[in-house]
Structures are given as C-alpha cells and as structure tokens.
Amino acid sequence: MARKKIIAGNWKMNMTPSQAVELVNTLKPLVANDDVDVVFCVPAIDIVPVVEAAKGSNIQVGAENMYFEEKGAYTGEISAPMLVDAGVKYVILGHSERRDYFKEDDALLNKKVKKAFEAGLTPILCCGETLEQREMGIAVDFIRTQIKSDLVGVSADQVKTMVIAYEPIWAIGTGKTATTEQAEEICKAVRDCIAEVYDQATADAVRVQYGGSVNAGNAAELFAQPDIDGGLVGGASLKPDFGDIVNYKK
Ligand code: PGA
C-alpha cells in the first residue's frame, strides 16, 4: 500500500499566539490538499489558539516537545495527556536543537516516545548526523544507533503508525539542502534499519520525512524519492511558500 505523504511545519520558537492565528488564517486556503497529511507543529503556547483557528480545515496540530511524566512537580514541562486534551495529534521528539541545546539524550527520548504512544499521540522522531560525522563516513551508523536506542520497547504496530524525520544537522536553517541522492540514501537507511529491527511490513508502513532547508523549489524532487514520504519544514513553514510545498505536485 502506498504511503501517504506527510508534510509538517516546525515553527520552532516563532509566532506569538496572535501572530499564530494570523498565520493559520493565511495558510489555511493555501494548504488545503487532502492528498497529503498537513501538520503544523507549533510552540506550546500557540497550541490552543491554533487548534481553534484550524477547525474545519485539513490542518492537524502537533507539538514541538513534551515530557514523559503524566503530571506532577516538573515545573515548566508539558505532558502528553495535556497535549491530547488540547487537540494535538503529533509531537516532534528528538529534534537536533533539543538534543544539542537542551541535552536530550536517547534514553530520555525513548521514554518520551513510549509515553507519546501510550497517550495516543503520533511521534515525529528526528534523527540526523553532524557535518563532522558525515565527513568521517559514520552518518548511517550514527542514525541507526539513534533510531535503535529511541525505539527500545516500541512495538512493530506502533512503529507502523509513526513518523521518522531524517534531518542532517548541517542542512538545518543553513540553506544547504542535502542533495536528493544524499537525502534518499539516508531515508532508505532508516527504512532498512526498521526492517532489520522489526520486519519488512513495518518498514514499508513507517513514514520517513526529510528535513533541512526544504523549500518550494526543492520539495518536488525530494518528495519524489521512493523512501522520502514528505518533509519536516522549518523556515519555509512560516511563509506562504508552505502552500507551494504542500502542493508540490501541482
Ligand atoms: P529548516 O528547519 O527547514 O529551517 O532547515 C528544519 C527543521 O529544523 O525541522
């Protein structure tokens, strides 16, 4: 069965609540395309107004992070049940900015992934190598280690429903996109890793995105690759260009 493309915006730390509503209203008609899943991953404070503004549209809302505990004395954190109750469907976990600036490691991410599934959220799990790792020739090894560690104890049925985003760190926010060949090579390696740890049916079902300077000009070629099931889009998700990315086929 063909995998449905999933194109997700990652707003990062941009947009105040009122700006967020304005952006959703601007983008709503531009991203109206039922052939792909369209997700807006937004800052926590924007979730409630964005869910409201997106009502009646094809836009699904995602969070950019969450904590693995249900509730309690974890000042400043947000739990999976809180996200679900607010209308969130997806959650980005393990973005390289979280791994780097906030020191999130694979052991922590494994807890977050399991909690997301338990709560009924779909994780968008990020992986990706540094430029140094790529130049050393260990990009694939590194990504395989991330995926295997982050998915310990996660079942094949769960993996089938999730999204894995391959985002080379050197391509994020730099304007440097991986070449189509580089992106496809690693997205295929992600799928092969899933086939190895689980089975071919799971690997055929999991959706693998490419992320890192995706824009209206390169989306069509990237998304045409056999193992690239869409994109995780940062900078270009804050502009009308996001509509062109979602409609990359037209
Ligand atoms: P970018 O960010 O599209 O601005 O490179 C992608 C991401 O970090 O998810």
Side-chain angles (χ1 to χ4, degrees):
M1 216 181 74
R3 292 178 296 268
K4 191 175 184 185
K5 301 279 187 210
I6 174 163
I7 299 173
N10 172 12
W11 288 11
K12 308 193 179 187
M13 197 174 74
N14 293 295
M15 299 291 138
T16 64
S18 52
Q19 291 169 334
V21 170
E22 212 174 302
L23 183 60
V24 171
N25 288 334
T26 304
L27 291 180
K28 225 191 302 196
L30 306 179
V31 302
N33 176 357
D34 290 326
D35 296 341
V36 301
D37 282 330
V38 177
V39 185
F40 286 16
C41 298
V42 307
I45 198 164
D46 296 338
I47 287 170
V48 170
V50 165
V51 167
E52 184 60 31
K55 270 196 185 136
S57 77
N58 61 319
I59 299 167
Q60 302 181 79
V61 180
E64 299 177 12
N65 183 31
M66 53 161 251
Y67 197 52
F68 66 84
E69 294 287 0
E70 288 268 327
K71 61 176 177 171
Y74 305 100
T75 303
E77 293 297 324
I78 290 180
S79 73
M82 290 172 184
L83 295 177
V84 171
D85 189 63
V88 168
K89 302 282 182 243
Y90 292 85
V91 59
I92 299 175
L93 294 175
H95 190 280
S96 60
E97 287 149 18
R98 300 280 337 155
R99 292 179 189 259
D100 184 11
Y101 305 146
F102 304 98
K103 305 293 168 238
E104 295 198 9
D105 61 15
D106 290 318
L108 173 71
L109 290 167
N110 180 238
K111 290 183 187 166
K112 292 189 177 194
V113 169
K114 285 191 283 199
K115 194 67 194 185
F117 278 122
E118 195 187 307
L121 291 165
T122 299
I124 300 176
L125 176 66
C126 300
C127 61
E129 82 285 3
T130 61
L131 188 56
E132 199 185 359
Q133 288 166 328
R134 171 161 287 267
E135 284 169 350
M136 284 167 67
I138 57 169
V140 170
D141 288 341
F142 180 70
I143 283 151
R144 286 168 54 88
T145 303
Q146 285 184 319
I147 291 173
K148 288 183 186 179
S149 320
D150 297 346
L151 295 183
V152 170
V154 176
S155 73
D157 282 344
Q158 289 173 324
V159 172
K160 280 177 187 160
T161 67
M162 77 182 293
V163 181
I164 300 177
Y166 165 56
E167 298 204 304
I169 295 170
W170 47 273
I172 295 177
T174 57
K176 255 190 242 165
T177 321
T179 64
T180 308
E181 293 72 29
Q182 286 171 328
E184 166 60 18
E185 184 200 351
I186 308 276
C187 289
K188 180 174 187 305
V190 168
R191 202 177 303 287
D192 289 346
C193 177
I194 296 296
E196 201 181 292
V197 176
Y198 295 91
D199 50 57
Q200 195 56 47
T202 306
D204 289 341
V206 67
R207 291 189 287 180
V208 183
Q209 294 174 317
Y210 167 77
S213 300
V214 173
N215 60 46
N218 59 28
E221 191 179 317
L222 286 163
F223 302 167
Q225 301 308 304
D227 290 291
I228 302 181
D229 304 314
L232 184 56
V233 184
S237 71
L238 299 167
K239 300 185 281 193
D241 298 45
F242 195 59
D244 297 328
I245 296 174
V246 165
N247 292 296
Y248 68 98
K249 270 203 172 156
K250 291 169 191 158

